[in-house]
Amino acid sequence: MGFGEYIVRTDPVEVNASDELVWGVLTNKQEYCEWNLFTSKIQTDFKIGSPVHLLVRMGPAKFRITETLCAFEKPRLIAWEKKFGARWLLFAKREQHIEPISDSTCRYYNVDILNGLLAPVVYLCFGNYMRRGFRDVATGLKAFMESQAGK
């Protein structure tokens, strides 16, 4: 592996809920702990350039991390990014995508893009944790949305 871009992408999950309803859950900070095993806590005002304080699980450990909101395109995309030291050293951007399929169904997936000198190391050491965590987010979101449908 050389330097460049390393991408951790999850397979899309079909959710039996509208994109608007899924967006509402993704932006409801108080309920994250009810469905999100990877990111159990989030604090932000969802304004571009604002900090996003996260509590994330990477394997057996939990980490507090602060990123910067860089995209908030209702109801399609939420993204945050972080420079670790200088941008050339390590830069990460996490995107959460929602794509409508019908009025009552949508597709959800995650993409994390790593760039910089340390990107290959982070990808090798943490890529599987990230992939598993992002899958947990997608399956947790799907299960939560579909459990709410009957209420």
Side-chain angles (χ1 to χ4, degrees):
M1 288 186 169
F3 303 117
E5 192 169 83
Y6 292 80
I7 299 175
V8 177
R9 179 186 309 264
T10 58
D11 291 331
V13 171
E14 194 169 303
V15 181
N16 291 320
S18 71
D19 55 347
E20 292 282 344
L21 288 174
V22 169
W23 181 266
V25 168
L26 284 177
T27 56
N28 183 338
K29 303 170 284 196
Q30 290 73 31
E31 289 186 349
Y32 258 58
C33 62
E34 293 183 33
W35 62 269
N36 194 327
L37 295 175
F38 180 65
T39 308
S40 58
K41 188 173 183 182
I42 180 173
Q43 293 177 304
T44 187
D45 61 10
F46 289 116
K47 292 186 173 125
I48 299 296
S50 290
V52 182
H53 304 285
L54 305 162
L55 180 62
V56 298
R57 177 181 50 88
M58 288 287 218
K62 288 191 174 187
F63 295 95
R64 292 188 187 283
I65 188 166
T66 300
E67 302 202 11
T68 302
L69 193 74
C70 60
F72 194 76
E73 301 168 14
K74 181 181 180 180
R76 304 281 182 262
L77 173 68
I78 300 173
W80 43 74
E81 61 190 20
K82 179 163 183 72
K83 283 189 307 191
F84 295 83
R87 189 178 177 108
W88 59 265
L89 187 60
L90 180 61
F91 178 78
K93 179 178 179 184
R94 163 122 183 258
E95 301 174 346
Q96 297 181 78
H97 295 266
I98 304 167
E99 298 173 348
I101 297 171
S102 71
D103 289 344
S104 60
T105 309
C106 66
R107 187 175 295 114
Y108 171 84
Y109 63 95
N110 289 270
V111 178
D112 202 85
I113 304 161
L114 303 168
N115 287 290
L117 189 63
L118 295 178
V121 175
V122 171
Y123 185 83
L124 285 172
C125 293
F126 295 101
N128 285 334
Y129 289 132
M130 293 163 66
R131 200 170 286 107
R132 186 178 314 129
F134 296 162
R135 268 195 310 264
D136 286 350
V137 172
T139 57
L141 178 63
K142 176 180 174 62
F144 183 78
M145 294 306 303
E146 293 175 1
S147 74
Q148 299 299 302
K151 292 183 180 178

